[in-house]
Amino acid sequence: MKDRANAGQPKQDKSGFGAALRLSSEFISAILVGAGLGYFLDRLAGTTPWGMIILLLLGFVAGVINVLRSSGQVANPYDQGWAQGKKEKATPPPSVPDDLYDDEDDDR
Amino acid sequence: MSNDPIHQFHLNKLIPLEIGGVDISFTNSSLFMVVTVAATAGFLIWATSGRGLIPTRLQSLAEMSYEFVASMLRDGAGSEGMKFFPFVFSLFMFVLVANLFGMFPYFFTVTSHIIVTFALAMLVIGTVVFYGFYKNGLGFLKLFVPDGVPGLLVPLVVLIEVISFLSRPISLSVRLFANMLAGHITLKVFAGFVASLSAMGAIGIGGAILPLAMTVGLTALEFLVAFLQAYVFAVLTCMYLNDALHPSH
């Protein structure tokens, strides 16, 4: 029954705890991936420690980008803009009428 | 000890099984996954069995969950994304029902183990990668090259975007797992305060009212988190599927 009660929730979570976990997981996961990628690259290519140093730093960069994107501080190229950007460039997929892209459309 | 806040996440082998040296025992986690799937499927089949033009309350609830996920998917991935509806709907219902089952006392929370959430996240990212390459061919790689980047910076930006992409399954799984784990531990710790304080006599019982109130509040918060995390998981799935469908952003 709870899903019905909460179905009208605003899109982003209002609790600070949720936001903290969301942003920190975005940040930390990018660093972990950078470090892991660097570690395995070093083991494969024998370039210890340079791969890990560089990729760990790039992991920090990617983490900052992740956080900025998920908090909406910079435009997220992934979750928006494909509808607007597509229209100028050409070829929206032919089978789909254009107005289906409209966010305001309630479909009911 | 009954107050141990970690004890609730302990895996017990219900039916020990081992095939080819691989331990595939049926654990309490497996049991609750089966129960979750059975409850979800059973509810939806039962609720929609009437097929009334004027829905009953249960049928209306089933239809609302359908509409909810369908509009989420349309907003996130466009109407072409609807071919992934069964996938997203199953994921959403599984995570939601598993989270809500975890709110019953003495029940096991399936999503509080990172290997479960990581497997779900890898399923999502695997679908995105396979479908992206299947549909767009090498054009899928355009995902990693944002428009309008100076030529000199492209290798650096691509590397950063690749790391950012690879971090998605990890952040997706860690978020769900950490929310469920942290919430259940907090709940257990505050509930444990009630028990240990009220063992200290009259003053203790008076003091136990504070953590009791906190526990009540946290329980409500946990219900919210259970829903919200299922929602966030499904929304991000839609967003990632959108990348597979339209990689040139």
Side-chain angles (χ1 to χ4, degrees):
Chain A
M1 297 293 132
K2 269 292 165 189
D3 50 350
R4 192 160 53 165
N6 289 326
Q9 277 288 317
K11 296 241 165 171
Q12 69 271 64
D13 39 350
K14 290 289 182 195
S15 72
F17 180 66
L21 269 176
R22 186 163 53 91
L23 295 180
S24 57
S25 72
E26 292 278 2
F27 188 57
I28 292 168
S29 62
I31 296 169
L32 287 180
V33 167
L37 219 59
Y39 180 74
F40 282 109
L41 218 67
D42 276 347
R43 283 189 60 170
L44 281 178
T47 50
T48 328
W50 295 107
M52 190 157 176
I53 290 174
I54 292 168
L55 279 167
L56 183 65
L57 290 175
L58 286 178
F60 272 99
V61 176
V64 171
I65 290 181
N66 277 352
V67 168
L68 288 177
R69 270 180 191 156
S70 72
S71 65
Q73 297 289 312
V74 297
N76 189 341
Y78 298 126
D79 72 343
Q80 66 192 17
W82 66 267
Q84 301 100 306
K86 272 273 162 64
K87 271 176 205 159
E88 294 134 33
K89 269 185 210 159
T91 65
S95 59
V96 186
D98 228 25
D99 58 324
L100 280 182
Y101 293 123
D102 194 349
D103 281 343
E104 309 298 326
D105 196 345
D106 211 4
D107 291 342
R108 264 167 288 184
Chain B
M1 185 179 162
S2 65
N3 266 353
D4 180 8
I6 303 295
H7 183 75
Q8 55 181 322
F9 305 116
H10 195 75
L11 286 174
N12 304 312
K13 286 181 190 172
L14 300 180
I15 306 168
L17 265 181
E18 195 172 309
I19 292 179
V22 182
D23 189 4
I24 53 160
S25 306
F26 193 83
T27 61
N28 50 352
S29 179
S30 331
L31 176 68
F32 273 97
M33 284 185 217
V34 171
V35 169
T36 302
V37 172
T40 315
F43 163 71
L44 286 171
I45 291 168
W46 180 47
T48 54
S49 62
R51 294 166 197 271
L53 197 58
I54 302 163
T56 58
R57 275 181 211 171
L58 275 177
Q59 190 186 337
S60 166
L61 185 62
E63 285 175 5
M64 271 164 69
S65 51
Y66 171 90
E67 285 286 338
F68 181 66
V69 178
S71 70
M72 176 178 14
L73 190 54
R74 267 192 220 103
D75 288 348
S79 32
E80 297 145 87
M82 285 305 281
K83 69 178 71 139
F84 289 109
F85 178 78
F87 176 57
V88 178
F89 188 73
S90 318
L91 265 181
F92 174 73
M93 289 308 270
F94 180 78
V95 174
L96 176 67
V97 174
N99 287 353
L100 289 178
F101 266 142
M103 291 307 296
F104 284 99
Y106 296 103
F107 274 32
F108 183 85
T109 318
V110 174
T111 45
S112 65
H113 280 244
I114 188 147
I115 191 63
V116 176
T117 59
F118 188 68
L120 292 176
M122 281 314 286
L123 191 66
V124 171
I125 298 296
T127 309
V128 167
V129 170
F130 278 116
Y131 187 76
F133 277 118
Y134 166 73
K135 172 139 186 283
N136 306 294
L138 289 177
F140 182 61
L141 295 175
K142 266 191 279 179
L143 181 67
F144 301 120
V145 192
D147 292 333
V149 177
L152 208 60
L153 283 178
V154 164
L156 196 65
V157 169
V158 166
L159 202 53
I160 292 171
E161 290 284 342
V162 168
I163 294 175
S164 172
F165 183 83
L166 291 179
S167 74
R168 282 171 174 187
I170 297 180
S171 72
L172 195 59
S173 54
V174 165
R175 186 180 306 122
L176 177 58
F177 142 80
N179 266 293
M180 299 320 289
L181 184 82
H184 280 75
I185 289 179
T186 323
L187 207 55
K188 181 85 186 197
V189 165
F190 276 100
F193 282 159
V194 179
S196 43
L197 268 178
S198 50
M200 285 165 55
I203 308 164
I205 291 177
I209 291 172
L210 290 173
L212 181 64
M214 190 74 183
T215 310
V216 173
L218 277 175
T219 309
L221 181 71
E222 275 306 295
F223 273 113
L224 177 68
V225 166
F227 173 77
L228 214 55
Q229 287 308 312
Y231 175 71
V232 166
F233 200 93
V235 162
L236 288 173
T237 303
C238 297
M239 231 172 81
Y240 298 160
L241 287 173
N242 182 33
D243 291 347
L245 291 159
H246 319 95
S248 54
H249 38 76

